[in-house]
Amino acid sequence: MKDIHKKSVVYIILSAILLSTGGVLLKYVNLKPMEIAGARAIVSSLVVFAYVRKPKFTFSKAQITGAISYSMMVIGFIAANKLTTAANAIVLQYTSPIWVAILSYFILKEKIHFYDVMSIAFIIAGMVLVFFDDVGGGNIKGDIIAIISGIFLAIVTISLRFQKDESPVETTLLGHLLTAFIGIFFLRGVHFSLPDIIGILLLGIFQLGISYILYSEAIKHVNAIEASVLMFIEPILNPVWVYLAFGEKPGGLALIGCFIVLTTILVRSVIASRSNRQDMIN
Protein backbone atom coordinates (compact mmCIF):
# COMPACT_ATOMS: atom_id res chain seq x y z
CA MET A 1 0.00 0.00 0.00
CA LYS A 2 2.85 2.39 0.79
CA ASP A 3 4.39 1.76 -2.62
CA ILE A 4 1.04 2.43 -4.31
CA HIS A 5 0.66 5.68 -2.37
CA LYS A 6 4.17 6.85 -3.27
CA LYS A 7 3.56 5.98 -6.92
CA SER A 8 0.26 7.89 -6.84
CA VAL A 9 1.94 10.96 -5.34
CA VAL A 10 4.51 10.88 -8.14
CA TYR A 11 1.67 10.59 -10.68
CA ILE A 12 -0.10 13.65 -9.28
CA ILE A 13 3.12 15.67 -9.29
CA LEU A 14 3.78 14.66 -12.91
CA SER A 15 0.17 15.50 -13.76
CA ALA A 16 0.50 18.97 -12.22
CA ILE A 17 3.79 19.59 -14.04
CA LEU A 18 2.30 18.55 -17.39
CA LEU A 19 -0.77 20.72 -16.82
CA SER A 20 1.46 23.66 -15.91
CA THR A 21 2.91 23.69 -19.44
CA GLY A 22 -0.44 24.90 -20.78
CA GLY A 23 0.41 28.59 -20.50
CA VAL A 24 3.74 28.43 -22.33
CA LEU A 25 2.44 26.08 -25.05
CA LEU A 26 -0.61 28.25 -25.68
CA LYS A 27 1.65 31.29 -26.06
CA TYR A 28 3.89 29.24 -28.38
CA VAL A 29 1.09 28.27 -30.79
CA ASN A 30 0.33 31.11 -33.19
CA LEU A 31 -3.34 30.31 -33.77
CA LYS A 32 -6.65 31.79 -32.62
CA PRO A 33 -8.23 30.41 -29.41
CA MET A 34 -10.99 28.42 -31.13
CA GLU A 35 -8.52 26.95 -33.60
CA ILE A 36 -6.28 25.81 -30.76
CA ALA A 37 -9.23 24.49 -28.76
CA GLY A 38 -10.54 22.44 -31.67
CA ALA A 39 -7.18 21.01 -32.73
CA ARG A 40 -6.11 20.19 -29.16
CA ALA A 41 -9.46 18.55 -28.41
CA ILE A 42 -9.13 16.25 -31.43
CA VAL A 43 -5.74 15.05 -30.20
CA SER A 44 -6.73 14.77 -26.53
CA SER A 45 -9.93 12.90 -27.43
CA LEU A 46 -7.88 10.24 -29.20
CA VAL A 47 -5.56 9.95 -26.19
CA VAL A 48 -8.41 9.60 -23.67
CA PHE A 49 -10.26 7.19 -25.99
CA ALA A 50 -7.17 4.99 -26.12
CA TYR A 51 -7.13 4.99 -22.30
CA VAL A 52 -10.86 4.40 -21.70
CA ARG A 53 -11.29 2.01 -24.69
CA LYS A 54 -14.98 1.41 -24.08
CA PRO A 55 -16.53 4.63 -22.73
CA LYS A 56 -20.06 4.43 -21.36
CA PHE A 57 -22.02 7.55 -22.19
CA THR A 58 -25.33 7.86 -20.32
CA PHE A 59 -26.19 11.28 -21.77
CA SER A 60 -27.89 12.14 -18.50
CA LYS A 61 -28.64 15.79 -17.74
CA ALA A 62 -25.70 15.87 -15.34
CA GLN A 63 -23.30 14.36 -17.88
CA ILE A 64 -24.42 16.65 -20.69
CA THR A 65 -24.22 19.71 -18.42
CA GLY A 66 -20.78 18.64 -17.25
CA ALA A 67 -19.56 18.04 -20.80
CA ILE A 68 -20.81 21.42 -22.07
CA SER A 69 -19.31 23.20 -19.05
CA TYR A 70 -16.01 21.35 -19.50
CA SER A 71 -15.90 22.44 -23.14
CA MET A 72 -16.61 26.06 -22.23
CA MET A 73 -14.00 25.86 -19.46
CA VAL A 74 -11.15 24.73 -21.72
CA ILE A 75 -12.11 27.17 -24.48
CA GLY A 76 -12.25 30.01 -21.94
CA PHE A 77 -8.87 29.09 -20.48
CA ILE A 78 -7.26 29.17 -23.93
CA ALA A 79 -8.85 32.54 -24.73
CA ALA A 80 -7.76 33.95 -21.36
CA ASN A 81 -4.15 32.90 -21.97
CA LYS A 82 -4.19 34.76 -25.27
CA LEU A 83 -5.64 37.93 -23.74
CA THR A 84 -3.92 38.22 -20.37
CA THR A 85 -0.85 36.89 -18.56
CA ALA A 86 -0.52 33.17 -17.92
CA ALA A 87 -0.36 33.89 -14.18
CA ASN A 88 -3.67 35.76 -14.18
CA ALA A 89 -5.36 33.13 -16.37
CA ILE A 90 -4.45 30.12 -14.24
CA VAL A 91 -4.89 31.79 -10.85
CA LEU A 92 -8.29 33.31 -11.67
CA GLN A 93 -9.46 29.96 -13.00
CA TYR A 94 -8.31 28.42 -9.71
CA THR A 95 -11.06 30.39 -7.92
CA SER A 96 -13.41 27.53 -8.93
CA PRO A 97 -13.69 26.04 -5.36
CA ILE A 98 -15.33 29.27 -4.24
CA TRP A 99 -17.83 29.13 -7.09
CA VAL A 100 -18.49 25.50 -6.18
CA ALA A 101 -19.35 26.58 -2.62
CA ILE A 102 -21.67 29.34 -3.85
CA LEU A 103 -23.39 27.23 -6.52
CA SER A 104 -23.73 24.28 -4.14
CA TYR A 105 -25.67 26.52 -1.75
CA PHE A 106 -28.28 27.26 -4.44
CA ILE A 107 -28.24 23.99 -6.40
CA LEU A 108 -27.41 21.30 -3.83
CA LYS A 109 -28.79 23.23 -0.84
CA GLU A 110 -25.47 22.75 0.97
CA LYS A 111 -24.65 25.27 3.68
CA ILE A 112 -21.85 27.80 3.26
CA HIS A 113 -19.30 27.55 6.07
CA PHE A 114 -17.52 30.39 7.80
CA TYR A 115 -14.31 29.57 5.95
CA ASP A 116 -16.19 29.90 2.64
CA VAL A 117 -17.35 33.41 3.55
CA MET A 118 -13.84 34.42 4.61
CA SER A 119 -12.36 32.88 1.46
CA ILE A 120 -14.82 34.74 -0.77
CA ALA A 121 -13.84 38.03 0.88
CA PHE A 122 -10.11 37.45 0.44
CA ILE A 123 -10.49 36.19 -3.13
CA ILE A 124 -12.56 39.22 -4.11
CA ALA A 125 -9.80 41.40 -2.66
CA GLY A 126 -7.21 39.49 -4.68
CA MET A 127 -9.23 39.77 -7.88
CA VAL A 128 -9.70 43.50 -7.37
CA LEU A 129 -5.92 43.92 -7.22
CA VAL A 130 -5.51 41.88 -10.41
CA PHE A 131 -8.19 43.91 -12.21
CA PHE A 132 -6.80 47.22 -10.95
CA ASP A 133 -3.34 46.30 -12.20
CA ASP A 134 -4.65 45.27 -15.64
CA VAL A 135 -7.06 48.14 -16.38
CA GLY A 136 -4.33 50.20 -18.00
CA GLY A 137 -2.74 47.23 -19.76
CA GLY A 138 -5.90 46.16 -21.56
CA ASN A 139 -5.89 42.66 -20.07
CA ILE A 140 -9.18 43.05 -18.21
CA LYS A 141 -11.10 41.04 -20.84
CA GLY A 142 -8.77 38.09 -20.40
CA ASP A 143 -9.14 38.29 -16.61
CA ILE A 144 -12.93 38.21 -16.85
CA ILE A 145 -12.84 35.23 -19.24
CA ALA A 146 -10.50 33.41 -16.83
CA ILE A 147 -13.00 33.89 -13.99
CA ILE A 148 -15.85 32.67 -16.21
CA SER A 149 -13.71 29.64 -17.05
CA GLY A 150 -13.38 28.99 -13.32
CA ILE A 151 -17.17 29.19 -12.93
CA PHE A 152 -17.63 26.60 -15.69
CA LEU A 153 -15.06 24.40 -13.91
CA ALA A 154 -17.19 24.70 -10.77
CA ILE A 155 -20.27 23.59 -12.74
CA VAL A 156 -18.31 20.57 -13.98
CA THR A 157 -17.47 19.70 -10.38
CA ILE A 158 -21.10 19.95 -9.28
CA SER A 159 -22.34 17.95 -12.26
CA LEU A 160 -19.97 15.14 -11.28
CA ARG A 161 -21.56 15.06 -7.82
CA PHE A 162 -24.84 14.11 -9.48
CA GLN A 163 -23.10 11.24 -11.28
CA LYS A 164 -22.40 9.04 -8.26
CA ASP A 165 -22.40 5.77 -10.22
CA GLU A 166 -20.71 7.13 -13.34
CA SER A 167 -17.07 7.77 -14.23
CA PRO A 168 -15.84 11.37 -14.58
CA VAL A 169 -13.70 10.20 -17.51
CA GLU A 170 -16.77 9.84 -19.74
CA THR A 171 -17.98 13.34 -18.86
CA THR A 172 -14.65 14.98 -19.68
CA LEU A 173 -14.25 12.82 -22.80
CA LEU A 174 -17.66 14.00 -23.97
CA GLY A 175 -16.45 17.55 -23.30
CA HIS A 176 -13.35 16.92 -25.45
CA LEU A 177 -15.51 15.57 -28.27
CA LEU A 178 -17.87 18.55 -28.08
CA THR A 179 -14.92 20.95 -28.18
CA ALA A 180 -13.49 19.09 -31.17
CA PHE A 181 -16.86 19.25 -32.96
CA ILE A 182 -17.19 23.00 -32.36
CA GLY A 183 -13.57 23.59 -33.28
CA ILE A 184 -13.86 21.83 -36.65
CA PHE A 185 -15.86 24.78 -37.99
CA PHE A 186 -12.99 27.12 -37.09
CA LEU A 187 -10.27 24.92 -38.58
CA ARG A 188 -11.35 25.23 -42.20
CA GLY A 189 -8.61 26.82 -44.26
CA VAL A 190 -6.28 27.22 -41.30
CA HIS A 191 -2.57 26.96 -42.12
CA PHE A 192 -0.59 25.08 -39.48
CA SER A 193 3.10 25.91 -39.24
CA LEU A 194 5.50 23.29 -37.87
CA PRO A 195 5.66 25.05 -34.45
CA ASP A 196 1.84 25.08 -34.38
CA ILE A 197 1.67 21.34 -35.07
CA ILE A 198 4.29 20.58 -32.42
CA GLY A 199 2.51 22.79 -29.90
CA ILE A 200 -0.91 21.24 -30.57
CA LEU A 201 0.47 17.71 -30.25
CA LEU A 202 2.19 18.56 -26.96
CA LEU A 203 -0.99 20.20 -25.66
CA GLY A 204 -3.27 17.35 -26.69
CA ILE A 205 -1.08 14.39 -25.80
CA PHE A 206 0.86 15.47 -22.74
CA GLN A 207 -0.59 18.68 -21.26
CA LEU A 208 -4.20 17.50 -21.32
CA GLY A 209 -4.37 13.81 -22.28
CA ILE A 210 -1.67 12.02 -20.29
CA SER A 211 -1.87 14.47 -17.37
CA TYR A 212 -5.54 13.64 -16.85
CA ILE A 213 -4.89 9.89 -17.13
CA LEU A 214 -2.17 10.14 -14.47
CA TYR A 215 -4.42 12.15 -12.16
CA SER A 216 -7.42 9.83 -12.57
CA GLU A 217 -5.26 6.84 -11.67
CA ALA A 218 -3.58 8.53 -8.71
CA ILE A 219 -6.62 10.14 -7.07
CA LYS A 220 -7.89 6.67 -6.09
CA HIS A 221 -4.99 6.26 -3.63
CA VAL A 222 -4.38 9.84 -2.41
CA ASN A 223 -6.62 11.74 0.00
CA ALA A 224 -8.31 14.98 -1.08
CA ILE A 225 -6.16 17.39 0.92
CA GLU A 226 -2.90 15.83 -0.28
CA ALA A 227 -4.09 15.93 -3.89
CA SER A 228 -5.16 19.58 -3.55
CA VAL A 229 -1.82 20.65 -2.14
CA LEU A 230 0.18 18.74 -4.76
CA MET A 231 -1.92 20.15 -7.60
CA PHE A 232 -0.91 23.67 -6.55
CA ILE A 233 2.29 22.93 -8.42
CA GLU A 234 0.33 23.79 -11.59
CA PRO A 235 -0.54 27.46 -10.90
CA ILE A 236 2.91 28.06 -9.45
CA LEU A 237 4.90 26.60 -12.35
CA ASN A 238 2.58 27.77 -15.13
CA PRO A 239 3.68 31.43 -15.11
CA VAL A 240 7.28 30.41 -14.37
CA TRP A 241 7.56 28.53 -17.69
CA VAL A 242 6.03 31.50 -19.54
CA TYR A 243 8.41 33.93 -17.87
CA LEU A 244 11.44 31.78 -18.75
CA ALA A 245 10.30 31.35 -22.36
CA PHE A 246 8.77 34.74 -23.16
CA GLY A 247 9.74 37.05 -20.31
CA GLU A 248 6.06 37.62 -19.47
CA LYS A 249 5.29 38.57 -15.89
CA PRO A 250 2.30 40.10 -14.13
CA GLY A 251 2.43 43.57 -12.63
CA GLY A 252 3.15 44.20 -8.97
CA LEU A 253 -0.47 44.50 -7.84
CA ALA A 254 -1.52 41.52 -9.98
CA LEU A 255 1.26 39.46 -8.43
CA ILE A 256 0.06 40.34 -4.93
CA GLY A 257 -3.52 39.59 -5.96
CA CYS A 258 -2.53 36.19 -7.39
CA PHE A 259 -0.65 35.36 -4.18
CA ILE A 260 -3.71 36.24 -2.08
CA VAL A 261 -6.02 34.13 -4.25
CA LEU A 262 -3.74 31.08 -4.29
CA THR A 263 -3.01 31.25 -0.56
CA THR A 264 -6.70 31.59 0.23
CA ILE A 265 -7.67 28.62 -1.95
CA LEU A 266 -4.92 26.49 -0.44
CA VAL A 267 -5.87 27.35 3.17
CA ARG A 268 -9.56 26.82 2.40
CA SER A 269 -8.81 23.40 0.88
CA VAL A 270 -7.01 22.32 4.05
CA ILE A 271 -9.75 23.61 6.39
CA ALA A 272 -12.58 22.19 4.23
CA SER A 273 -10.92 18.77 4.05
CA ARG A 274 -10.45 18.61 7.83
CA SER A 275 -14.01 19.81 8.40
CA ASN A 276 -15.44 17.16 6.07
CA ARG A 277 -13.36 14.48 7.78
CA GLN A 278 -14.66 15.58 11.19
CA ASP A 279 -18.26 15.52 9.93
CA MET A 280 -17.76 11.94 8.75
CA ILE A 281 -16.42 10.92 12.17
CA ASN A 282 -19.35 12.56 13.94
Side-chain angles (χ1 to χ4, degrees):
M1 290 299 292
K2 288 183 178 180
D3 290 338
I4 294 176
H5 178 263
K6 289 180 180 178
K7 185 178 180 180
S8 298
V9 168
V10 172
Y11 277 5
I12 289 184
I13 292 173
L14 289 175
S15 174
I17 293 173
L18 288 174
L19 284 169
S20 73
T21 62
V24 68
L25 290 174
L26 289 172
K27 303 285 184 183
Y28 178 72
V29 177
N30 189 29
L31 295 173
K32 295 179 181 179
M34 283 307 306
E35 296 168 353
I36 298 175
R40 182 180 72 164
I42 292 173
V43 177
S44 61
S45 295
L46 294 173
V47 174
V48 178
F49 249 126
Y51 170 69
V52 179
R53 295 185 181 180
K54 294 181 180 180
K56 296 179 181 179
F57 297 121
T58 62
F59 296 106
S60 62
K61 289 183 179 179
Q63 190 176 77
I64 292 175
T65 300
I68 293 174
S69 299
Y70 184 86
S71 178
M72 296 298 101
M73 181 265 292
V74 296
I75 291 173
F77 181 67
I78 293 172
N81 268 275
K82 290 293 185 179
L83 294 170
T84 187
T85 64
N88 290 6
I90 187 64
V91 170
L92 292 176
Q93 189 193 53
Y94 252 71
T95 59
S96 61
I98 296 304
W99 306 121
V100 169
I102 294 173
L103 292 174
S104 295
Y105 175 77
F106 293 101
I107 299 174
L108 303 176
K109 306 304 179 182
E110 295 179 355
K111 65 178 181 179
I112 294 183
H113 301 83
F114 77 94
Y115 52 79
D116 290 321
V117 177
M118 294 299 295
S119 297
I120 291 170
F122 277 102
I123 285 175
I124 289 175
M127 289 192 297
V128 168
L129 289 176
V130 172
F131 288 153
F132 190 83
D133 191 83
D134 284 349
V135 168
N139 296 334
I140 193 73
K141 184 186 294 185
D143 295 340
I144 293 174
I145 292 175
I147 292 174
I148 294 173
S149 178
I151 294 174
F152 276 120
L153 178 55
I155 296 174
V156 173
T157 303
I158 291 176
S159 73
L160 292 177
R161 291 187 184 179
F162 282 101
Q163 303 175 63
K164 296 180 180 179
D165 300 322
E166 300 170 32
S167 170
V169 177
E170 276 77 4
T171 300
T172 54
L173 176 56
L174 197 60
H176 287 307
L177 293 173
L178 176 60
T179 306
F181 175 75
I182 296 173
I184 287 175
F185 297 97
F186 293 87
L187 292 173
R188 294 177 180 176
V190 175
H191 172 70
F192 290 90
S193 65
L194 181 59
D196 292 337
I197 295 174
I198 294 173
I200 291 296
L201 289 175
L202 291 174
L203 282 165
I205 297 173
F206 297 99
Q207 190 266 335
L208 201 58
I210 293 178
S211 66
Y212 180 79
I213 292 172
L214 290 171
Y215 184 81
S216 62
E217 285 294 328
I219 198 62
K220 303 172 187 176
H221 310 288
V222 178
N223 63 52
I225 184 172
E226 192 173 17
S228 297
V229 172
L230 291 173
M231 285 305 294
F232 262 78
I233 293 173
E234 180 193 359
I236 293 172
L237 286 183
N238 187 303
V240 172
W241 303 140
V242 178
Y243 174 73
L244 293 175
F246 299 100
E248 176 191 272
K249 59 180 179 179
L253 288 178
L255 197 59
I256 295 173
C258 288
F259 176 78
I260 292 173
V261 170
L262 280 182
T263 302
T264 301
I265 294 296
L266 180 59
V267 172
R268 181 198 173 276
S269 297
V270 174
I271 295 175
S273 180
R274 289 179 176 175
S275 177
N276 291 334
R277 191 184 306 164
Q278 190 63 38
D279 290 340
M280 292 178 67
I281 295 174
N282 296 334

